Amino acid sequence: MADKTKVCIVGSGNWGSAIAKIVGFNAKRLAAFDDRVTMYVFEEMINGKKLTEIINETHENVKYLPGHKLPENVVAVPDVVEAAKDADILIFVVPHQFIRGLGTALLGKIKPTAVGLSLIKGFDVAEGGGIDLISHIITRHLKIPCNVLMGANLAGEVADEKFCETTIGCRDMKVAQIFRDLFQTDNFRVVVVDDVDAVEVCGALKNIVACGAGFVDGMKLGDNTKAAVIRLGLMEMIKFVDVFYPGSKLSTFFESCGVADLITTCYGGRNRKVSEAFVTSGKTIKQLEDEMLNGQKLQGPITAEEVNFMLKNKNMEAKFPLFTAIHKICTGQIKPQNLIDEVRHHPEHMQTF
């Protein structure tokens, strides 16, 4: 009999803890998986006690997902190498700024046959300019294939077991079936596509558009304007993938990773919330991040900067007026009140497909 598939979740924030509920539940009930799911937890002290000890004793991540019980077979481990060493599946769900460091720590310490799955929404800046996809960084650093999971998946609602869909980008259909089994529940519906890069790029770019939606909310410009910003944002997302990751399918943008994730982030996500407060409070984005996000990182402004870096390199800022305007607002070059003027008459937005 073949050994059971062992799973490690690398990360334990809001989203990592929500996904641990699903993965722990499925690993326990399905014969193909080892019961014990390890979860790498960055150790911190909470009221004088280690967070890993609190999680393992109470089965609750009191800092990042309070009020939710994690399955008892999910075990918090403070050492990433210890957590990951026996895993056949490594699920990466940490802020994207930490992925290179984790890759360095794990290289040569994991099973050579392991496969990765990135749930990380964001880009990194490649050496010498341009964008690096997180799944590509994981593959390069760890010498393992890495797939992606993206969708309209606000962590709190997933943890509450409200119905939603998600998209897994995976080219290996045998591995895709294992992922589907590991993640699919009655309330978490999985669709697999082979368009891996487009799935991942959508997950990063929508955070830029959400900042624009937040600015619109802060200025109380109304639902019509917000809908226009979301549509223009979707057009720029499609164009960006077409320019930088050619060969992707238009249909991928109509999966959960595309239009659905874009909508939910523009109405419910932290990028929208902080961007609205940026308009109304007069505080900097950094101040608001520290005040509002309980230690979590804001991805939209960083992603806008990384995308702008890439567009500038190709002299294409003018082809992406919404992305460019949002970046300029986030960096203080123009005021939020200038957002609509930047896109209102722009010829790039007078075209259809």
Side-chain angles (χ1 to χ4, degrees):
M1 184 176 142
D3 288 342
K4 295 190 169 196
T5 301
K6 293 184 170 72
V7 181
C8 170
I9 301 169
V10 182
S12 59
N14 190 230
W15 183 212
S17 298
I19 220 67
K21 286 188 69 174
I22 290 173
V23 168
F25 169 76
N26 279 338
K28 180 87 174 162
R29 72 184 183 86
L30 296 173
F33 295 97
D34 192 289
D35 278 6
R36 185 175 186 266
V37 173
T38 56
M39 179 168 75
Y40 164 62
V41 176
F42 178 78
E43 194 69 280
E44 0 183 5
M45 301 301 288
I46 309 286
N47 299 326
K49 197 162 184 184
K50 290 178 178 175
L51 181 56
T52 51
E53 288 177 4
I54 296 170
I55 292 171
N56 288 333
E57 286 167 17
T58 68
H59 307 292
E60 181 182 350
N61 187 337
V62 292
K63 177 158 187 187
Y64 294 110
L65 197 67
H68 286 276
K69 284 287 176 200
L70 300 178
E72 293 188 9
N73 56 315
V74 174
V75 181
V77 181
D79 178 338
V80 71
V81 174
E82 183 62 32
K85 67 181 184 184
D86 295 324
D88 300 295
I89 293 175
L90 292 163
I91 299 165
F92 293 92
V93 55
V94 292
H96 78 276
Q97 299 89 324
F98 301 128
I99 203 66
R100 288 176 193 268
L102 287 172
T104 302
L106 288 172
L107 180 62
K109 311 280 177 62
I110 58 171
K111 284 185 176 178
T113 53
V115 292
L117 183 72
S118 173
L119 278 61
I120 302 166
K121 292 176 178 177
F123 292 134
D124 207 350
V125 176
E127 288 172 29
I131 282 168
D132 226 348
L133 297 187
I134 305 300
S135 66
H136 294 189
I137 295 171
I138 292 168
T139 292
R140 273 204 318 276
H141 277 251
L142 292 183
K143 313 285 190 271
I144 61 171
C146 188
N147 309 279
V148 297
L149 180 150
M150 304 278 153
N153 305 143
L154 295 176
E157 294 181 15
V158 172
D160 286 337
E161 296 176 34
K162 294 176 176 168
F163 176 78
C164 69
E165 299 177 308
T166 200
T167 311
I168 291 178
C170 180
R171 292 185 192 93
D172 182 334
M173 284 303 116
K174 191 175 168 204
V175 173
Q177 187 58 55
I178 296 168
F179 284 145
R180 181 183 276 127
D181 291 344
L182 185 59
F183 286 93
Q184 182 114 288
T185 69
D186 285 347
N187 291 314
F188 197 70
R189 179 175 175 267
V190 175
V191 175
V192 180
V193 299
D194 64 3
D195 207 355
V196 183
D197 288 351
V199 171
E200 183 168 3
V201 173
C202 283
L205 294 181
K206 54 95 193 188
N207 284 329
I208 305 177
V209 186
C211 291
F215 298 145
V216 168
D217 287 344
M219 293 183 285
K220 297 190 168 40
L221 295 178
D223 287 337
N224 293 345
T225 301
K226 187 166 170 178
V229 165
I230 293 170
R231 188 194 76 81
L232 296 172
L234 179 61
M235 296 286 282
E236 292 197 9
M237 286 167 61
I238 293 168
K239 186 187 293 185
F240 185 91
V241 171
D242 196 41
V243 170
F244 294 102
Y245 299 92
S248 295
K249 302 179 184 79
L250 188 59
S251 60
T252 301
F253 295 91
F254 299 97
E255 295 294 348
S256 186
C257 61
V259 68
D261 197 9
L262 178 63
I263 291 167
T264 197
T265 310
C266 288
Y267 279 89
R270 64 185 111 145
N271 291 282
R272 187 217 64 80
K273 186 166 78 170
V274 172
S275 298
E276 180 180 31
F278 178 69
V279 175
T280 56
S281 69
K283 295 177 179 175
T284 66
I285 283 174
K286 180 76 183 82
Q287 284 174 303
L288 293 165
E289 184 179 61
D290 293 342
E291 286 174 21
M292 296 171 70
L293 295 186
N294 188 29
Q296 290 180 295
K297 292 288 171 204
L298 197 65
Q299 302 291 6
I302 302 169
T303 306
E305 186 171 359
E306 291 162 357
V307 164
N308 187 258
F309 187 92
M310 199 160 177
L311 295 176
K312 227 178 202 161
N313 269 3
K314 286 198 178 278
N315 200 25
M316 291 185 80
E317 282 177 294
K319 295 242 175 235
F320 294 84
L322 184 70
F323 287 176
T324 301
I326 290 166
H327 169 66
K328 285 180 176 174
I329 293 166
C330 289
T331 51
Q333 297 174 57
I334 62 173
K335 294 197 176 328
Q337 288 74 14
N338 298 122
L339 175 68
I340 303 307
D341 288 338
E342 294 286 311
V343 299
R344 189 193 307 266
H345 301 300
H346 206 285
E348 289 302 320
H349 288 150
M350 304 299 173
Q351 306 165 2
T352 60
F353 300 119

